[in-house]
DNA sequence: TCCTGTGAACATTTTCACAGCA
DNA sequence: TGCTGTGAAAATGTTCACAGGA
């Protein structure tokens, strides 16, 4: 889960996490108007949930009618900061990093990577789409000069902590960490979201497992 | 979030999601014993949280002492079903799929992929580690013959829904969907967890954005 | 009438505080 | 004394139910 620096906040985290999903539906929408029911169906959330989420930032739907698609989209982009082109740095251009670099070059609504860094000479200098991979030794100057506030970490476990430290030191505001080890330090300076894909798969295993025998507390 | 088929449940979802993190710490642990405080520090959760999670399935720590590392590890593996070698199928061997295939071949504790499928002739027949990529047209027989219960979807958005349908039809119990579009159908037959990495990045953008101007509900 | 916006009820999750065993 | 296990309180998140404007 996201750990916050301060805690004064008006919009719940859970709402923030759903906004990008609404946004994507809105951007694939041809009609000018939509409703909370339609938005709910296409995102998998309840219509009440949708309305409550949108109401948090004073969304103006029209009673009896619904929401204006482009206006609402613009508003969500503004909340998320996506209208101010959030620039990010990706560290670790392996398969996962490459996948993320490609995804984010497909849509305009996405977070844009201003740089991709790696320490592998075989990778440095190569391009993923329009982004040229640079040497990780330039991490500090890249972050400072391009005013990067968001970092995505896709490095091996062993490197994660030290790279995170350098990123925090260089002044990024948040780190989305995909390395298979949690980043635990410096959480008052940067916000860290750990997202470990192998852990997610292990959790899923539970849901396909028969548990009849489990609960009688084992002795 | 995970949507459940039934809802009788004793261990909360939130607990299940943390168990793999505890497990990983336990397996990198040299000492024979550990405590809820140590486990908390290394996973980023509070010690009370750890104790409560472990108590759900009748864990036996020893008061005044702590938990037996190997016993607790074994117990968590059992809860998650990882001691019965959960076999999974990966569909879509792009960069993300390849990354997942590699990760899960590194540790014994992980979910093991029994098959990887794709529709690209360039990819079919190739190997990622010890796993040979097979033609997606064999999806149904692969799932049935290898008794696969868990599917990981890393296909393009356009293919996600139809592949999910085939997987559900073939009898998998759960789908972990990384495609940038939510799987919404058939949720009473299979459990679906949608995990969209680009959406996660967009949500992170919020946390590095200044919001002073936002809240005065916009008019 | 239709669909939003929202207080209130409900449910879930986390944190607190401490009793109790080794 | 040290650390677990657990009720109770607090916080957070979701659903219900309906008032009210277009």
């Amino acid at each position: 889960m996201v750990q916050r620096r301060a805690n004064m906040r008006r919009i719940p985290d859970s709402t923030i996490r759903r906004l990008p999903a609404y946004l994507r539906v809105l951007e694939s929408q041809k009609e000018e108007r939509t409703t909370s029911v339609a938005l709910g169906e296409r995102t998998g959330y309840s219509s009440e949930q949708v309305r409550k989420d949108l109401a948090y930032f004073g969304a103006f739907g029209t009673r009896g009618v619904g929401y204006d698609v482009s206006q609402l989209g613009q508003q969500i982009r503004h909340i998320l900061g996506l209208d101010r082109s959030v620039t990010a740095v990706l560290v670790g251009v392996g398969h996962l990093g490459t996948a993320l670099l490609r995804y984010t070059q497909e849509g305009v609504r996405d977070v844009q990577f201003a740089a991709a860094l790696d320490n592998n000479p075989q990778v440095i200098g190569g391009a993923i789409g329009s982004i040229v991979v640079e040497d990780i030794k330039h991490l500090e100057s890249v972050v400072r000069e391009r005013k990067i506030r968001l970092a995505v970490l896709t490095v091996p476990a062993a490197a994660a902590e030290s790279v995170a430290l350098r990123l925090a030191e260089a002044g990024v505001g948040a780190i989305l960490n995909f390395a298979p080890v949690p980043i635990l330090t410096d959480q008052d300076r940067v916000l860290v979201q750990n997202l470990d894909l192998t852990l997610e798969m292990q959790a899923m295993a539970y849901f396909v497992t028969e548990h009849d025998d489990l609960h009688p507390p084992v002795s």
Side-chain angles (χ1 to χ4, degrees), chain A:
Chain A
M1 214 13 56
V2 169
Q3 293 120 343
R4 295 191 61 70
R5 270 163 303 184
N7 55 3
M8 133 193 41
R9 184 180 59 278
R10 282 151 290 200
I11 303 184
D13 270 28
S14 49
T15 293
I16 297 299
R17 307 276 312 268
R18 284 186 291 266
L19 292 183
Y22 301 147
L23 182 57
R24 186 159 56 202
V25 171
L26 291 170
E27 294 192 330
S28 71
Q29 194 101 353
K30 284 182 205 61
E31 298 80 6
E32 274 180 26
R33 305 202 144 270
T34 189
T35 67
S36 61
V37 174
L39 232 28
E41 270 167 12
R42 299 197 45 193
T43 53
Y45 304 117
S46 74
S47 64
E48 303 92 313
Q49 186 80 84
V50 173
R51 291 202 298 282
K52 191 143 267 197
D53 285 341
L54 301 183
Y56 276 116
F57 49 94
F60 16 29
T62 310
R63 295 182 182 204
V65 182
Y67 300 89
D68 181 289
V69 168
S70 72
Q71 186 181 198
L72 183 55
Q74 178 46 39
Q75 204 160 155
I76 293 177
R77 269 189 297 276
H78 184 67
I79 297 282
L80 295 178
L82 298 175
D83 60 346
R84 277 151 283 176
S85 60
V86 177
T87 50
V89 59
L90 183 128
V91 189
V93 189
H95 282 291
L96 178 54
T98 302
L100 293 175
L101 285 171
R102 289 196 185 286
Y103 290 162
T104 54
Q105 289 181 71
E106 285 168 11
V108 282
R109 67 182 178 283
D110 287 304
V111 168
Q112 294 299 312
F113 284 109
L117 308 175
D118 204 296
N119 69 352
N120 180 351
Q122 304 254 301
V123 172
I124 294 167
I128 312 295
S130 61
I131 297 170
V132 175
V133 180
E134 297 167 75
D135 194 316
I136 196 173
K137 73 183 174 197
H138 302 128
L139 185 150
E140 285 76 9
S141 60
V142 164
V143 168
R144 292 210 176 93
E145 283 161 21
R146 299 178 209 174
K147 300 193 190 327
I148 287 170
R149 304 246 50 228
L150 176 60
V152 176
L153 252 197
T154 48
V155 299
E161 189 73 42
S162 71
V163 173
L165 217 68
R166 288 174 64 188
L167 288 165
E169 193 64 44
V172 303
I175 299 173
L176 179 53
N177 173 39
F178 289 98
V181 60
I183 304 293
L184 300 170
T185 50
D186 279 293
Q187 296 199 344
D188 32 296
R189 285 198 296 169
V190 292
L191 182 129
V192 176
Q193 160 98 278
N194 294 300
L195 184 35
D196 186 321
L197 305 185
T198 61
L199 260 38
E200 296 291 334
M201 286 192 278
Q202 289 181 39
M204 287 303 277
Y206 173 83
F207 299 105
V208 295
T209 299
E210 299 300 329
H211 298 116
D212 312 330
D213 58 317
L214 278 184
H215 286 285
V218 185
S219 111

